[in-house]
Amino acid sequence: MGLRIATWNVNSIRLRLDLLAGLMKSHEPDVICLQETKVQDHDFPLEHFRALGYPHLLTRGMKAYNGVAIISRVPLATPHGRDFCEKQDCRHLAAHLPGGIELHNFYVPAGGDIPDPKANDKFAHKLRFVEEMTGWFSDPGEHKGKKMVLVGDLNIAPMEHDVWSHKQLLGVVSHTPPETERMAALMDTLGWVDSARHFVPADQKLYSWWSYRNRDWAASNRGRRLDHIWVTPNLKKSLRSTEILRDARNWTPPSDHVPVIVELA
């Protein structure tokens, strides 16, 4: 039996309930990690998902902003969430899956519009957030030897062909050198394997996000790959497939992100 894990920035759980039900029916993920749920824990629609066959749920939410959740058909053990940058802004949630896999669901700050940490506090927060992630995963006593999967909206498109124009986006938040260099350092901490690029060569365009500002997103195809699933090297041989559900950008009402799904043996 395989294990299918999906990640999706839903940009409001309340707006995507029907779409999530469709995703569960069509792709049958065992675990779905959500970002930007935008709802407090006591208002999360737990019974909706239990009725769909997903009885195991973890949430860390706040009113109107941010928020992460894990919705699962399989048991979730030892749930925990970490705060970064001295902010309690609901950007991380973790749990253990059957088979000894530790799952981490992240929503990295977007960073605003100005790629200058001195002029833009949001960008400074983003850089610091990734630096703190890197320091945490560098701690050998905390993570060494574990089987781990890291998923989420990391809000960084790290490679040249993870954006529609490398040259034009070098000065645009999500693809600037300060961000991509920090993401590279984060990946180096445990030798994380980028599941999408494990299957799709680095010279091929690959996106998971298209702006709402593009009237015809498919025709312009000005996308970025902001949503990621990484595994530790001890799970690399278990990778069966990764799929980015591009057509989900046309689902109604759409999120500007689409789901990404990995299957592990």
Side-chain angles (χ1 to χ4, degrees):
M1 294 291 291
L3 179 69
R4 294 172 63 79
I5 302 172
T7 182
W8 190 15
N9 179 323
V10 289
N11 194 8
S12 176
I13 184 70
R14 289 168 168 157
L15 293 178
R16 317 291 171 219
L17 288 178
D18 290 343
L19 301 185
L20 279 163
L23 175 65
M24 291 167 172
K25 183 177 180 180
S26 62
H27 288 78
E28 299 185 328
D30 298 293
V31 184
I32 304 176
C33 295
L34 304 178
Q35 304 86 41
E36 271 203 283
T37 53
K38 297 184 177 181
V39 66
Q40 297 175 88
D41 290 345
H42 64 264
D43 289 326
F44 196 92
L46 301 175
E47 294 306 321
H48 176 85
F49 295 109
R50 287 173 178 150
L52 292 168
Y54 288 77
H56 309 284
L57 298 108
L58 301 174
T59 66
R60 286 191 78 198
M62 56 193 293
K63 187 176 182 179
Y65 296 97
N66 304 342
V68 286
I70 301 175
I71 303 170
S72 180
R73 299 197 295 194
V74 300
L76 302 170
T78 58
H80 56 285
R82 185 178 178 89
D83 292 323
F84 292 81
C85 305
E86 291 87 46
K87 295 179 182 287
Q88 296 179 330
D89 52 358
C90 304
R91 293 183 177 276
H92 172 250
L93 186 59
H96 285 85
L97 305 177
I101 295 174
E102 187 171 287
L103 174 65
H104 291 269
N105 179 17
F106 278 96
Y107 175 44
V108 171
D113 296 325
I114 302 170
D116 180 351
K118 294 181 179 179
N120 178 7
D121 289 342
K122 291 181 178 179
F123 192 67
H125 177 210
K126 181 178 191 174
L127 298 182
R128 184 181 170 194
F129 191 100
V130 178
E131 289 168 359
E132 287 194 13
M133 286 177 67
T134 302
W136 187 44
F137 283 113
S138 296
D139 183 350
E142 189 84 29
H143 299 106
K144 186 177 181 181
K146 291 182 178 179
K147 295 179 181 178
M148 289 194 289
V149 178
L150 187 157
V151 313
D153 176 6
L154 304 186
N155 262 316
I156 298 173
M159 304 178 72
E160 178 177 348
H161 295 289
D162 289 338
V163 294
W164 63 272
S165 173
H166 172 63
K167 289 183 179 179
Q168 292 185 64
L169 269 71
L170 277 173
V172 175
V173 174
S174 76
H175 191 61
T176 66
E179 297 166 274
T180 58
E181 289 166 6
R182 282 166 174 79
M183 177 172 269
L186 173 59
M187 293 195 75
D188 284 346
T189 56
L190 294 168
W192 292 101
V193 178
D194 180 341
S195 69
R197 287 303 181 187
H198 178 73
F199 295 102
V200 180
D203 62 354
Q204 293 185 24
K205 294 288 189 183
L206 199 61
Y207 313 139
S208 67
W209 175 92
W210 293 261
S211 173
Y212 287 130
R213 296 174 184 173
N214 294 331
R215 185 169 297 178
D216 188 337
W217 71 271
S220 62
N221 199 28
R222 294 188 172 191
R224 306 177 202 176
R225 188 169 70 101
L226 305 179
D227 305 272
H228 301 268
I229 300 180
W230 301 349
V231 303
T232 46
N234 49 17
L235 288 174
K236 183 176 181 179
K237 291 183 178 179
S238 298
L239 286 169
R240 285 184 176 176
S241 66
T242 302
E243 184 177 7
I244 298 178
L245 305 187
R246 176 187 168 91
D247 289 347
R249 185 61 178 78
N250 277 330
W251 294 351
T252 304
S255 170
D256 44 359
H257 297 256
V258 299
V260 182
I261 302 176
V262 69
E263 182 168 359
L264 298 170

